[in-house]
Amino acid sequence: MYDINEIRKEFPILQRQVYGKPLIYLDNAATTQKPLCVIESITEAYANVNANVHRGVHFLSQKATEQYEEARETVRRFINARHSHEVIFTRGTTESINLVASSFGETFLAEGDEVIISTMEHHSNIVPWQLLAERKGIKLRVIPLTVDARLDKEAYAALFNENTRLVSITHTSNVLGVTNPVEEFISIAHSHGVPVLIDGAQSVPHKKVDVQALDADFLVFSGHKIYGPTGIGVLYGKESYLNRMKPYQGGGEMIQTVRFEKTTFNELPYKFEAGTPDYVGAIAFARALDFVSAIGIEQIAAHEQQLTRYALERMAEIPDMRIFGKPDGSAISFLIGNIHPADLGTLLDRLGIAIRTGHHCAQPLIDHFSIPGTVRASFAMYNTIEEVDAFIAGINRVVKMFG
Ligand code: PLP
């Protein structure tokens, strides 16, 4: 059974107050809070098994390596990858996309080739492709939105031509909280022989994502958005692509032999993990995934969807409320009348309610609506119905202040 009080006890920060008020943390799409087991696993790793991985014959190095590779296996299980060497540890979603843009780009793309992205991408799934476009002379094609702010599937299907080489799209929008039917988008791309990268930064923490069921060629996500530490994330890639892709960075660990005449590269996953990896981060990240699995991702999803539905119902009672898109996940973006999002955010903050305002690193999407930005509330496993009520009461108070 989903015991919200027991879950909340695991998160020390939820006990604290801000401005003398209980913290109501509704900025989970930006980053989630960390349970004690994750915080403690960092201390535990440094206190008991710290040594550089893959390099030492000594006891500690072997222990650290074992735990680091177990973490990789935990990630593999969590997303149901076929092989653990298809899981590359990176610094997060942003680095994972940059890795693919760089390595896939260097290996498979030439001038005139095209990459499809969408109007609802986070900047981290736009700018790496623009940089690649400058370097290699490739073209970006952008999937437009329908009137109800969903990806336009027909327009997408019409973007394919003989130059299309890759599709890179988000699973769940960090602004709209809308989950795209990526299975269908992947199958359309595959019917043209084109691989697909799925940005799972906002989906993996909130729903079961199975890379084999989706048949995703690449999946990227960040540890810190799923109760893990900052600075660690994942690039999943099918081995058939990763094996052929050129390395991303050069350095220790990613090589087999180095001679001044010629260097040969290590096998997967090490080919893409140059230098000392964040093994402590990976160990703590795996602890976070185990924590999520013990509660059950489906139970977490059901709880968050209940909060979202309830929040949407209550928000509909507020005059001049404008909700963007049709949120089905755990984030809701909105504006009220002509109250500036920054004003609403600042006043809610004084009530202890942490929400996010602005363009949410998705300026093309914000421009699409011709607005300055939105206010975004986003939920996690530990949020409660009472917190949603406090959030609604807070909004009503601010609206009253603005007359
Ligand atoms: N993609 C999406 C959909 C996101 O929401 C985010 C972060 O908000 C990112 C990518 C970038 O993630 P990170 O900053 O952890 O690399």
Side-chain angles (χ1 to χ4, degrees), residues 101-143:
S102 175
S103 296
F104 185 94
E106 279 306 316
T107 312
F108 295 114
L109 300 185
E111 189 171 348
D113 285 345
E114 298 184 1
V115 171
I116 297 177
I117 59 173
S118 91
T119 307
M120 62 167 81
E121 299 310 316
H122 187 280
H123 295 162
S124 64
N125 198 22
I126 301 174
V127 185
W129 305 113
Q130 288 177 325
L131 293 173
L132 184 67
E134 266 178 39
R135 279 202 312 274
K136 291 224 106 176
I138 63 154
K139 275 203 211 118
L140 285 189
R141 307 296 300 272
V142 182
I143 310 169

Side-chain angles (χ1 to χ4, degrees), residues 29-30 92-95 97 122 124 170 172-174 199 201-202 222 224-225:
T93 306
T94 302
E95 188 176 49
I97 298 174
H122 187 280
S124 64
T170 194
T172 302
S173 160
N174 64 311
D199 176 352
Q202 298 293 343
S222 299
H224 71 97
K225 291 186 197 282

Side-chain angles (χ1 to χ4, degrees), residues 383-396:
N383 291 120
T384 65
I385 291 285
E386 293 73 27
E387 287 181 320
V388 176
D389 285 332
F391 164 62
I392 299 292
I395 294 179
N396 282 326

Side-chain angles (χ1 to χ4, degrees), residues 323-353:
I323 294 185
F324 294 88
K326 302 244 174 334
D328 54 36
S330 66
I332 304 174
S333 256
F334 63 98
L335 286 175
I336 304 168
N338 47 21
I339 304 177
H340 195 278
D343 291 337
L344 187 51
T346 308
L347 291 165
L348 286 176
D349 176 54
R350 301 306 293 192
L351 301 172
I353 303 167

Side-chain angles (χ1 to χ4, degrees), residues 66-244:
E66 244 170 66
Q67 292 197 11
Y68 180 56
E69 292 305 325
E70 274 166 22
R72 199 187 304 279
E73 172 58 19
T74 302
V75 174
R76 184 206 66 74
R77 240 183 291 122
F78 198 79
I79 59 172
N80 192 32
R82 212 170 261 117
H83 309 290
S84 63
H85 59 253
E86 293 178 317
V87 172
I88 315 288
F89 283 118
T90 64
R91 287 196 299 119
T93 306
T94 302
E95 188 176 49
S96 298
I97 298 174
N98 276 278
L99 191 163
V100 176
S102 175
S103 296
F104 185 94
E106 279 306 316
T107 312
F108 295 114
L109 300 185
E111 189 171 348
D113 285 345
E114 298 184 1
V115 171
I116 297 177
I117 59 173
S118 91
T119 307
M120 62 167 81
E121 299 310 316
H122 187 280
H123 295 162
S124 64
N125 198 22
I126 301 174
V127 185
W129 305 113
Q130 288 177 325
L131 293 173
L132 184 67
E134 266 178 39
R135 279 202 312 274
K136 291 224 106 176
I138 63 154
K139 275 203 211 118
L140 285 189
R141 307 296 300 272
V142 182
I143 310 169
L145 301 187
T146 60
V147 279
D148 60 353
R150 293 181 187 282
L151 292 187
D152 186 332
K153 201 166 74 186
E154 266 145 46
Y156 165 67
L159 288 178
F160 286 86
N161 61 42
E162 70 279 6
N163 298 321
T164 313
R165 294 286 173 269
L166 183 73
V167 174
S168 188
I169 52 171
T170 194
H171 198 172
T172 302
S173 160
N174 64 311
V175 179
L176 307 173
V178 171
T179 298
N180 297 312
V182 288
E183 304 81 335
E184 294 170 40
F185 281 68
I186 291 171
S187 106
I188 291 172
H190 286 177
S191 73
H192 294 273
V194 173
V196 182
L197 180 152
I198 298 297
D199 176 352
Q202 298 293 343
S203 61
V204 174
H206 304 291
K207 71 198 295 279
K208 177 76 197 148
V209 177
D210 177 327
V211 288
Q212 291 191 67
L214 287 179
D215 202 14
D217 301 283
F218 300 98
L219 173 78
V220 298
F221 60 104
S222 299
H224 71 97
K225 291 186 197 282
I226 183 163
Y227 314 104
T230 52
I232 187 88
V234 168
L235 162 64
Y236 157 81
K238 282 185 185 163
E239 82 178 328
S240 56
Y241 284 107
L242 293 178
N243 267 330
R244 285 180 290 160

